[in-house]
Amino acid sequence: MNALRNAVRQGLRRGWTEFEQSLRSPQDQAFYVFTALITLSVLWVNRDDEVGDTGLMYPTFALPSILGALLTFGVVIGPAYSLAMEREDGTLLRHKALPQGMPGYVTGQLTYHSLSLVPSLLVVLVPSLLLFDGVMHGGVAGWVTVVGLIVLGLFATLPWGIVLGSVVPGVQKVGTWGMLPVLVLITISGIFVPVQTMWGWVQAVAQVFPVYWIGLGMRSAFLPPEAVTAELGDSWRTGPMVLVLLAWTVAGLLLAPRVLRRMARRQSGSDVEAAREAALQWIK
Amino acid sequence: MTATPVPHDPDGSLAVRVRDLRMNYGDHEVLTGVDFDVRLGEVVCLLGPNGAGKTTTIEVLEGFRLPSAGTVEVLGVDPATGDDAWRARVGVVLQSWRDHPRWTPRRLLRYLAGYYAPYSTPTHPRPWDVEELLATVGLVAEADRKIATLSGGRRRRLDVAVGLIGRPELLFLDEPTAGFDPQARRDFHDLVHRLSDLEGTSILLTTHDLGEAERLADRILILADGHIVADGSAEALTRQVAGTSEVRWCRDGERFVHATDEVVPFVRRLLAQHGDALTDLEVRRSSLEDTYIALVQRFESASPAGRHLAEVAR
């Protein structure tokens, strides 16, 4: 039996178990319901607003971009938070003490956060399809593009969640190191308002990061062809979109294992103990 | 990385070999030259005051921390370069806190057990059967409860089970019974004896409980002032370091106390001298605790005279 392959199998099993447990947990269910309610309320309140002169209603225009933002947020902040948390609570250390434990652990993380994406997108997508008319203009080809784009977006962003979780000094810092920058990026990336309404340099910054491109790709899949006039350069820029996301994927896959290994090497029981002491201080 | 064979232990009778282990954090020297061995099948207890470096020592042996200097061999391998096959032979009992709150003990143990299957051999099958292990550590009733709902003592049993799941040849336990009630403590001691007697597992544990050390350990090491200041069985240490006993008695309603190395001649003289006037005769042997306190006080002061005693105690 190959030990590494066995560990990867263990990781898949771990990811699935965590996913199942998450679906059954009232805490996580509440989180899904909360995200869905907020998003759907925003769309519902603006349901009769036309976006610019595209002839599109706000929910139709915004939903694809919001799905892209949910994806980015979920697979960057999710792993970042898990990693920071599980470094402090000893989960990581337990895996360090196992033969081939780290490959198993990382596989578990990747599996769990990829699977979690499904419910977090579905809770927004399914009610939207029921509540609003003309959400998907692309037909079957559109759905296939959406699935492909989700996979590509996952590869482009998930490794960065791992990087973030490895470098962040503690759980309390995930907010300022992770949540804040990601939310700022989402705000400037044309998710809620078209990117053209931003200053020129902000548009340039937005186009460096994957959030903008995932949103753009999503719009290209959902919206009718004539909506392209609302985009920069009147183009879906599918080629550049794929290239930018691939570039982020490659960079992430190169960096994440190194950062992760460095973090895991430095992890010891004393760190877990120190985190515990710190947490007890917080409670007091 | 491949495991390096031990050059210094040709007959392979050592589970742990530590020579001149040093650890600095910045300018602060935590370990100033630790030397000791753990032989195969031996239960060794590492005692010492808080901050003496017990946990650091154990973490170096576990391969979780790199020493500043010195030679460390665990099952014949330097933990810093130990590969996964080596890892599979070593068990680590960690102080868990709130990890895996949604898992149940049975599910977690089954999952962790899966990692050891590739390292099973006909002579040493791995992992431990989960049901059997749950029964061994006394967690059958809680096997399907969420780990978050377990009491501190039950959680420690789970920690011990996790450390044992791969049927390790060598087990490290850092304060395994902290937070145990007396019954749980006794059960744990039985478990350690069983592991040592039936499985031949070598065990290195740290504790603050001197009674526990006396009951469990074949040999006790006392770590103070960054190095091992005493190494021997509980009895030997008590004899060597604080060899005196205390004799207390009453005569004419008055209490007397006398410390002596030669109890029997002293008591004989006492009886001959006072006869029936003597009441309430009591002889108290100095305990491991007396030894421990005496040693630690001597070495904490770190005087050259104190250091000299290390040689005597060895």
Side-chain angles (χ1 to χ4, degrees), chain A residues 76-77 164 166-170 172-182:
Chain A
V76 173
I77 301 306
L164 189 59
S166 306
V167 298
V168 74
Q172 269 97 20
K173 292 285 192 302
V174 174
T176 40
W177 288 49
M179 217 97 98
L180 204 63
V182 171

Side-chain angles (χ1 to χ4, degrees), chain A residues 14 18 78-95 105-106 108-109 112-113 165 170-171 263 267 272 275, chain B residues 97-103 111:
Chain A
R14 174 181 181 81
E18 294 253 87
Y81 189 77
S82 289
L83 238 65
M85 182 78 186
E86 295 185 351
R87 197 159 29 139
E88 292 187 0
D89 72 17
T91 307
L92 191 84
L93 198 61
R94 282 212 194 288
H95 286 85
Y105 176 73
V106 174
Q109 283 286 331
Y112 170 59
H113 291 290
V171 176
M263 180 271 279
Q267 172 77 3
V272 175
Chain B
W97 166 34
R98 57 177 186 196
D99 65 304
H100 295 95
R102 291 173 181 171
W103 294 61
Y111 160 67

Side-chain angles (χ1 to χ4, degrees), chain A residues 10 21 94-95 100 268 270, chain B residues 59 65 84 107 111 159:
Chain A
Q10 286 297 113
Q21 288 171 164
R94 282 212 194 288
H95 286 85
Q100 297 287 2
S268 72
S270 314
Chain B
E59 285 183 352
R65 208 173 263 284
D84 290 286
R107 211 180 296 153
Y111 160 67
D159 289 336

Side-chain angles (χ1 to χ4, degrees), chain B residues 262-296:
Chain B
E262 291 163 327
V263 178
V264 176
F266 180 81
V267 171
R268 194 185 293 130
R269 273 203 308 277
L270 201 66
L271 287 166
Q273 212 173 335
H274 303 293
D276 288 345
L278 211 62
T279 51
D280 264 0
L281 180 65
E282 183 193 4
V283 179
R284 192 175 152 272
R285 299 224 13 207
S286 55
S287 63
L288 180 61
E289 187 174 336
D290 300 326
T291 313
Y292 173 79
I293 302 277
L295 263 174
V296 168

